[in-house]
Amino acid sequence: MSNAVDDWFMQEVLPLEGELERFLQRHWSDEFEVRDLRQEVFSRLYKVAGNGLPRNTRALMYSTARHLIIDLIRRKRVVSIETVMDFESWDVSSDEAGPFDTVSARQELTMLRTALETLPRRTRDIVHMRRIQGLSQRETARALGVSEPTVERHVSQGVRLLADALGRLGVDRGQQRLKSKRKGRSHER
């Protein structure tokens, strides 16, 4: 590889090492594998840079890490709740969940993962960074080189598209909660 790639790696990638490690720790359950995952991400970034230096190193790093984790999950055939979404929003995180609830929740997570893959790439990346990685709107905008209103618009559109896709598949937990709230308001009047 050329000196340009080495310089890019030293100046652009290595300063993100701590950020990448924190991301991997949040999204991968085996803490002993995090350093190996970090090295694999670095290796992939270096290899990609050999074909041309990327414009947005941080976005490429997160995208590479996300794809690596997805590949590993597919190989292990395990659905990692932390990787897919904030599980609490589904109201199934109770310690008292029975076998039916557990199976149902796993099916819903699989459907959500499928629905996420149907989103337009930019929208999917933004929803992933905001809702799964937990980045702020400003951090997401900066990482992708877009404006904050663009991030907000994509998150809104992505959530709407996900709700529609899940509704078509028969998952309507959010709609049930929304209807309950509306009923409560109408009784208060």
Side-chain angles (χ1 to χ4, degrees):
M1 298 282 165
S2 71
N3 285 338
V5 174
D6 291 342
D7 291 344
W8 166 81
F9 192 83
M10 298 283 286
Q11 294 171 5
E12 299 287 327
V13 177
L14 287 181
L16 300 174
E17 183 175 13
E19 188 176 331
L20 173 61
E21 192 154 333
R22 285 188 298 278
F23 169 80
L24 292 169
Q25 287 170 343
R26 277 195 314 267
H27 297 288
W28 192 252
S29 59
D30 189 345
E31 64 185 73
F32 297 108
E33 293 180 352
V34 168
R35 287 187 178 164
D36 291 338
L37 294 175
R38 183 193 66 216
Q39 289 308 115
E40 180 62 26
V41 170
F42 282 171
S43 173
R44 290 181 182 192
L45 289 173
Y46 193 86
K47 188 175 184 177
V48 166
N51 296 325
L53 298 180
R55 288 190 318 240
N56 190 332
T57 302
R58 179 175 273 115
L60 178 62
M61 178 188 75
Y62 278 117
S63 177
T64 302
R66 178 177 72 94
H67 286 102
L68 175 62
I69 289 171
I70 289 169
D71 289 345
L72 291 171
I73 289 170
R74 284 184 183 142
R75 273 191 234 130
K76 289 187 176 199
R77 308 293 266 159
V78 173
V79 176
S80 172
I81 293 166
E82 294 84 14
T83 304
V84 179
M85 66 170 288
D86 176 16
F87 196 59
E88 292 174 356
S89 68
W90 286 78
D91 289 334
V92 294
S93 61
S94 169
D95 293 337
E96 300 173 22
F100 175 78
D101 292 330
T102 301
V103 169
S104 177
R106 285 185 180 160
Q107 289 172 338
E108 289 172 359
L109 286 171
T110 300
M111 287 186 268
L112 176 62
R113 186 172 29 157
T114 301
L116 275 168
E117 291 301 318
T118 67
L119 293 178
R121 183 179 179 95
R122 174 67 68 159
T123 301
R124 182 177 60 234
D125 289 345
I126 289 174
V127 167
H128 184 269
M129 292 176 87
R130 288 283 291 131
R131 300 294 187 208
I132 297 173
Q133 292 176 11
L135 295 179
S136 71
Q137 189 165 305
R138 177 173 286 147
E139 291 169 326
T140 302
R142 204 174 291 143
L144 296 175
V146 298
S147 68
E148 289 184 50
T150 297
V151 170
E152 187 175 352
R153 188 177 68 248
H154 278 281
V155 168
S156 177
Q157 176 188 18
V159 169
R160 198 172 330 116
L161 290 170
L162 287 173
D164 292 346
L166 292 174
R168 286 190 300 275
L169 293 170
V171 178
D172 64 345
R173 290 176 181 258
Q175 293 298 325
Q176 289 172 353
R177 255 189 265 129
L178 190 59
K179 288 176 186 173
S180 297
K181 284 183 182 178
R182 287 181 186 153
K183 282 183 185 177
R185 286 186 200 141
S186 65
H187 290 298
E188 292 173 2
R189 293 181 186 171

